[in-house]
Structure formats: structure tokens, C-alpha cells
Amino acid sequence: MSNSSTAEKTMQLTGGIDVGNGYVKGVIRGAVNGEEIFDTIDLPSAVVSTSRSTPKVPEADSDARKIVVEDDFYNRLAASFTTPLVGHSDLRTFGRAALSTPGSKFTQFEVLGARSKADQELSFVLVLGVFAAKALRDHVREHGALPDHELRATVRTGLALPIDEYVQRRHAFAAQFVGRLGAVDPVVHIVTIKNFSTPVTVRLQFEDVQVLPEGASAQFAITDKGAPLAQALLDDLTASDPEEAAKLSGVTAELLVGVRNTIGVDVGEGTVNFSVFTDGAFNSEAAGTLEQGYGTALTNALDRMSTSGDKDLRFKNRKTLADFLQQEPSVFLQGRYDRASGFVSEEAEYLCDEVGSRFEDVLAEVGGTTEVVYVYGGGSGPIKEILRPVLQKAAGGIPVLYLDAAYSRHLNREGLYLAADTVAQNAKPTGERS
């Protein structure tokens, strides 16, 4: 255990957390011994809940440094919550551990139907959990052991909602974390981390929550990355689709960075958001959300597999199916992989037709002035070969830049961090800004 002399210290955490229907992508800045430390987060948007108060076999306190700092702690976090945002104090296991841990309840986001993520408790569980895990990681980095006192952290963060929800719900969503304007007491969120023999309590208080429309935050990140990313996009387009690249003949990376009239097609697991920028400003009137995503194709494919009679295609949920399809199959699994991919591809055809139809609606509003279309998001990679020609056909002479999923799925989180950090920097006295 570490010395209790640090008990009064309050950590300052600034993060961008992209809570997708499929995955949580995040970046959080903290400090250890006065040095800024960034954690990147990538975990399935799922938890397993049980009424037990602790794991069956907790980890030894002496293993804290290895488990919390050296391993991917975000994907094995086990915690309970005391907060107005979470209704039960069940033990919840996070991330990849949730995909393989038996529990009384497996919770993932609903992708069929129109229930808002802002109304699903899982959104709050995931955000609070990753900030609590970051607080513990930074403490163990600095002290080498679990704390013998409650950890305290103040938080500034950027979060996102689907465009249609953003228009209606952004202020209320932020207030649930921070508290209502004019309230006497701030909202306090207690997360008790229970991976170890000794539980660790983390007290979180949110100073500021910036809520952005999904997709728009990625556009901010594209602009911030500037010419290097723009050049990478042009090079990729030239190599992968010379005919499409011809539409950008004579366009340099610097010219691409300066484009002010764009459409971003952000393909997620539960939604596809069409982020429109007109003269450099987000255009909420033309932007919109399709209440379907890659997860819709996965869910529909699972239904078809279950009635196909193929006993080898047994997946517990869409998360395990998606995880299976993301891995390079061994020779033993190749046939099973091909059959599962076939079911998903058939459903993806229907999804891409819907995306193309909605995209045409957006073009009817702003197509005359649109200079470039960007395609990105965690769900864009698996359906690229199907979706890309659909969008290109609808776009006509407008170039479509299909970003590589290796980095495009992280753009929203980086844009959300930029939003949170900008507010944090502006809140500092002039001499303290970095």
C-alpha cells in the first residue's frame, strides 16, 4: 500500500471518450510526478453484471503494477458504482474480459430500434469506468502500489451523440455528469474498483462536459492533423482507386486541408452519421443520422445463422461474432470464417443500400456546394468493398476519400479530446497555457 500523505491530492483528468455502439475509443491525459501521461483506450462497449460484490478470485494486491499499468487494465476492469446515473450496485466486468466471463447479465447497446444512447445506462457505466481506471493507473504508476485512501479526480471530457440526438439532447446529457446549472452541490460519482483483494474507491467530479455530434468530432481531428493526414489520404486513393483519384488531379495536401464544404459519412455499429460542414461550420439542418450500422448487419446475420442449421456457427452475441471476424483465421477455422463472413456480407449489402439512399438525401440538400466526401468510423472497414462503390456512384463527380479503418476509427476520440482540451486551456490563466 502507498503512503496516505497523498490522500488530499486531487487528480486532473482530461479526455475524449467516443462511446460507440461497438467499441469505446478514448484518450485521457493525466499527470505522474508532474509529467503528462496519455492513455489510449479501445474496448468493446459491453459489460457483464453479477450481483456478487467481488470477483470469485480477486487479484493479489502485490500484483497491482503488472495488472494495472503493464497489462490492458481497461479491458479487465471490475467495478461497482454509486451514482445517480447507475441504478444498481452490481459488479460489472468490462471490455474483452466481459466477452469471456460468465455472468448473470451481458449488456451491450441496442442497435435495433430507436432508443437513445443517452437513455441507456451502459453509456454512463463505460465513461465513469474508464476515468476511474485512469485515476488508478496514474496512482500506481507514481507509487508502485494500490492506494490506502480514496482517490479523487476532477474530469473534463468530450463526449458524442448521434447527430439527431445531439440536436435535442446535448445539454441534458452533459448535465447528467456535471449537475444542473445553479445546483448547490455538484454531482459526485463513486466508482469502487474490485479487481484486487482490497477494493479501491475513486471519487469523480466532472468540471466540464463538451458534447459534440458524432462524425463532426472526426472532422475536427482531420483538420487538426493537417497536411500529413491529407497527403496520406491522397496517396491511398491514388494506390487503391486511380479512377477516383483522377477527380482530385492537381489537388495538393495543403489544398485539401483548406476545404470548407464537406460531408463526413461516419459508419458506426448502431448508426451512420452524415456530418455536413458548410463554409467550415457544422450544418445541423443538412446533417442527419441513419438508425442502422454495422452492428445491424451482424445482428441480422446472427438471426439467419441460428435458423440455418449450421451448428458450427454458434456465437453468443454480435460482439463475439465481430471479434471472430476481426481475427485472421487458422486453417482449422477458415471454412467457418468464410461461411460466417458470407452471412454478414449478405446483410451488409442491404445496409449499404440504406446508407446510399440516405446519402443521396444529404446530397440533395448540399451536393451542389460539397467539395469532398470523407468516409470513416469503426464500421467502415468491414464493409468497405460494398459501401465504397455505392457512395461513389451517388456522389458523381464529388471525390470520395475512404479513410483507412486502422486510424479512422480513432478520429472521433481525438476530436473529442481536442474539444475538451481547448476548454481546459481557455480556463487557465494566460501564463499557464501550454
Side-chain angles (χ1 to χ4, degrees), residues 225-249:
K225 289 180 178 297
L229 176 60
Q231 188 60 57
L233 293 177
L234 293 172
D235 292 344
D236 177 69
L237 191 65
T238 300
S240 63
D241 195 336
E243 184 176 337
E244 188 72 9
K247 297 177 183 177
L248 289 169
S249 177

Side-chain angles (χ1 to χ4, degrees), residues 100-298:
S100 57
T101 300
S104 58
K105 183 180 180 183
F106 178 86
T107 303
Q108 59 186 344
F109 284 114
E110 299 173 13
V111 296
L112 299 180
R115 190 181 176 203
S116 170
K117 269 194 294 190
D119 292 328
Q120 297 184 54
E121 190 175 80
L122 182 59
S123 295
F124 306 112
V125 167
L126 293 169
V127 171
L128 296 175
V130 297
F131 276 109
K134 168 63 171 172
L136 180 58
R137 292 193 91 208
D138 283 357
H139 177 91
V140 175
R141 282 183 175 118
E142 185 166 347
H143 301 283
L146 297 177
D148 58 3
H149 58 275
E150 175 185 87
L151 297 180
R152 299 190 175 203
T154 57
V155 176
R156 291 179 177 273
T157 189
L159 304 175
L161 287 174
I163 290 169
D164 290 351
E165 296 177 22
Y166 162 82
V167 172
Q168 300 174 8
R169 307 285 300 274
R170 62 189 184 278
H171 299 302
F173 187 57
Q176 288 178 277
F177 290 94
V178 179
R180 298 287 175 181
L181 187 65
V184 176
D185 297 316
V187 177
V188 174
H189 313 277
I190 305 295
V191 182
T192 305
I193 297 174
K194 297 182 174 179
N195 292 75
F196 300 94
S197 298
T198 302
V200 176
T201 300
V202 183
R203 178 182 295 261
L204 300 174
Q205 184 177 326
F206 286 76
E207 287 186 323
D208 180 73
V209 175
Q210 296 294 307
V211 181
L212 277 67
E214 290 179 359
S217 51
Q219 296 281 109
F220 296 144
I222 290 170
T223 301
D224 183 71
K225 289 180 178 297
L229 176 60
Q231 188 60 57
L233 293 177
L234 293 172
D235 292 344
D236 177 69
L237 191 65
T238 300
S240 63
D241 195 336
E243 184 176 337
E244 188 72 9
K247 297 177 183 177
L248 289 169
S249 177
V251 174
T252 64
E254 288 73 18
L255 285 173
L256 187 58
V257 170
V259 166
R260 294 176 62 78
N261 299 285
T262 64
I263 300 173
V265 183
D266 181 14
V267 185
E269 186 155 322
T271 58
V272 178
N273 287 282
F274 299 87
S275 178
V276 177
F277 279 76
T278 302
D279 196 23
F282 178 68
N283 185 340
S284 61
E285 296 296 324
T289 302
L290 174 67
E291 298 291 346
Q292 297 182 49
Y294 180 55
T296 312
L298 292 171

